[in-house]
Amino acid sequence: MEFILSEEQQAIKAMAKDFINHEILPFAREYDESETFPTHIMDKLREYGLYNLSIPERFGGPGIDKLSHALIVEEMARGCAGIATSAEANSLASYPILVGGNEKQQNTYFHRLTKEGQYASFALTEPQAGSDVMGLSSTVERFGDEYVLNGEKCFITNASYANFFVVLAKIKGSEQSKDFVALIVESDLEGVKVGPKEKKMGLRASDTASVTFEEVRVPIENRIGNEGDGFKIFMKALSHARPMVGAQSLGIAQGAYEQALAYAKERKQFGKPISQLQSIQFMLADMAINIEAARLLVYKSVYLLQQGTPSAKAASFAKCFASDTAMKVASDAVQIHGGYGYIREYHVEKYFRDAKIMQIYEGTNQIQRVVIAKEILS
């Protein structure tokens, strides 16, 4: 077992770190306050090869290994989790096409993302179906060479900017619980309506909105995989996505820890830096322990992806533990800052708000534990 990054991976991490330190961290507060989608930062990420990270090189993507992908995501989230979420939305929407799409679909839509600079959204969650994917109410009905799509999706990242959506819907009238269809739906089709941007506690630089589909006619060639395979395709896609949520969580935790460590060395109480107080030392030590443990879980899950043996259990381990760690570390970082940690001038307040969603999206941590329990009991 190797615990050392290759020279190429170290170079990728260093490049990402340098980019984030100069192009994102100094402006993260500004984008958070204004809740502005940072289009020009997305363009720069593309320019530096730090975008569309899941897309193979033959389709214009960077063609990097999964660990390098995770390293970049970790650094982006250390700078701003909202920007990291927006950047990763294209990767998330790419996974169903990557695991279930045909060559023509991959060539068409991946090149649109890489060569034309377009945006895509992963449309799964509904108002009455979040963790319960089987409870989706969006439906498709086939008429000749078209599907008619009806339904509403909510909490869709980059919805206001998406050129196309990757959608999961149930076959209308089907008695089979897993009869779902995965579709690529162009945003300019008649009947596609994007709602107003949501006002969120965290990830404010990321665009989030609902999408309604009313009698939307989608060509059959836009179906991903076979009819009835949609559920399987989306679940496989999530096994690729969840380790990257772990990487985002890791970046938030690392950023909050670094802020707390620096502050503890500078802040003086009772005539000495608070870093000399054992109670603070123990908090910092626990942060470091849990971040390292989370890092190993995340890296293992992406290693398994790279080997072509994705593990639902490993992905859930990584996503669950890393996001719980991000929340705990961010909370303790605020505590170490005392009253200043509650003031927006200090970055730990933002890390704290951003960390919470990591325990919720792409499968709540309660659902991750259900997955883990199913795996260990089977």
Side-chain angles (χ1 to χ4, degrees):
M1 299 175 70
E2 292 288 343
F3 291 92
I4 300 172
L5 299 176
S6 69
E7 289 186 8
E8 182 180 359
Q9 289 165 341
Q10 290 180 48
I12 288 172
K13 182 177 175 65
M15 180 184 69
K17 187 181 185 73
D18 184 67
F19 181 92
I20 271 66
N21 286 345
H22 290 91
E23 302 290 345
I24 292 182
L25 263 174
F27 311 105
R29 172 62 62 192
E30 174 188 334
Y31 285 112
D32 181 75
E33 293 283 352
S34 65
E35 302 189 27
T36 304
F37 185 78
T39 307
H40 82 282
I41 287 184
M42 299 300 160
D43 292 339
K44 283 190 175 181
L45 285 167
R46 287 190 181 92
E47 181 185 336
Y48 278 76
L50 300 173
Y51 208 80
N52 294 312
L53 299 175
S54 66
I55 297 179
E57 189 174 9
R58 71 181 187 276
F59 299 118
I64 55 176
D65 64 274
K66 297 298 182 182
L67 181 53
S68 295
H69 184 164
L71 293 171
I72 294 169
V73 171
E74 179 184 340
E75 285 298 328
M76 277 199 286
R78 181 180 62 83
C80 176
I83 292 174
T85 297
S86 292
E88 272 295 276
N90 270 15
S91 291
L92 181 56
S94 297
Y95 290 131
I97 303 173
L98 190 66
V99 302
N102 57 44
E103 186 76 14
K104 181 181 178 182
Q105 290 170 339
Q106 293 175 353
N107 190 62
T108 299
Y109 290 99
F110 289 166
H111 276 111
R112 283 174 57 176
L113 296 178
T114 59
K115 301 300 184 184
E116 299 178 31
Q118 292 190 358
Y119 297 99
S121 289
F122 182 86
L124 175 62
T125 303
E126 297 183 1
Q128 301 301 322
S131 298
D132 179 17
V133 177
M134 292 291 188
L136 293 181
S137 59
S138 293
T139 62
V140 290
E141 190 172 7
R142 185 170 174 176
F143 293 93
D145 292 335
E146 291 181 321
Y147 285 102
V148 175
L149 171 65
N150 284 282
E152 180 184 0
K153 301 292 182 177
C154 63
F155 309 141
I156 307 304
T157 301
N158 289 3
S160 305
Y161 296 83
N163 298 95
F164 60 90
F165 301 94
V166 180
V167 181
L168 183 66
K170 194 169 185 178
I171 298 172
K172 188 174 181 179
S174 172
E175 298 298 325
Q176 299 297 318
S177 61
K178 292 189 178 181
D179 272 356
F180 289 87
V181 171
L183 293 172
I184 303 169
V185 182
E186 302 287 351
S187 62
D188 60 359
L189 287 177
E190 186 177 352
V192 178
K193 298 178 182 178
V194 178
K197 180 179 177 179
E198 302 287 0
K199 293 292 207 178
K200 307 189 298 292
M201 177 170 71
L203 303 189
R204 292 177 178 175
S206 173
D207 175 83
T208 307
S210 61
V211 186
T212 303
F213 304 100
E214 296 179 0
E215 297 292 307
V216 179
R217 306 189 78 87
V218 183
I220 194 168
E221 58 262 30
N222 283 29
R223 185 187 69 208
I224 304 171
N226 295 321
E227 192 169 282
D229 286 348
F231 181 85
K232 180 174 63 177
I233 289 168
F234 264 63
M235 292 306 102
K236 191 173 181 181
L238 286 173
S239 72
H240 286 254
R242 281 171 178 159
M244 298 309 167
V245 179
Q248 285 188 52
S249 302
L250 193 54
I252 292 172
Q254 184 67 36
Y257 166 72
E258 290 174 0
Q259 294 284 326
L261 184 64
Y263 184 83
K265 291 177 179 179
E266 297 170 0
R267 174 68 168 170
K268 290 185 177 181
Q269 291 287 276
F270 309 106
K272 58 184 178 182
I274 63 172
S275 61
Q276 294 183 24
L277 300 172
Q278 192 178 62
S279 59
I280 301 298
Q281 291 175 352
F282 282 5
M283 291 173 75
L284 292 169
D286 284 341
M287 288 180 182
I289 290 168
N290 286 307
I291 290 171
E292 185 67 8
R295 180 169 284 115
L296 292 173
L297 284 172
V298 170
Y299 289 6
K300 179 181 177 181
S301 67
V302 296
Y303 168 81
L304 292 172
L305 275 178
Q306 184 63 36
Q307 298 305 306
T309 56
S311 165
K313 182 171 71 172
S316 291
F317 278 170
K319 193 272 183 187
C320 189
F321 188 82
S323 57
D324 282 348
T325 295
M327 194 68 235
K328 173 62 175 169
V329 169
S331 178
D332 284 349
V334 171
Q335 191 71 23
I336 286 173
H337 278 71
Y340 290 109
Y342 207 68
I343 303 300
R344 290 186 183 180
E345 180 183 349
Y346 288 79
H347 210 67
V348 290
E349 175 268 345
K350 181 179 181 299
Y351 284 127
F352 181 77
R353 287 187 288 105
D354 288 345
K356 186 59 199 174
I357 192 61
M358 299 296 150
Q359 296 177 307
I360 297 170
Y361 72 177
E362 290 187 40
T364 67
N365 282 6
Q366 287 69 34
I367 289 297
Q368 302 310 313
R369 288 173 169 87
V370 169
V371 172
I372 292 165
K374 183 178 179 181
E375 290 286 327
I376 63 178
L377 291 170
S378 64

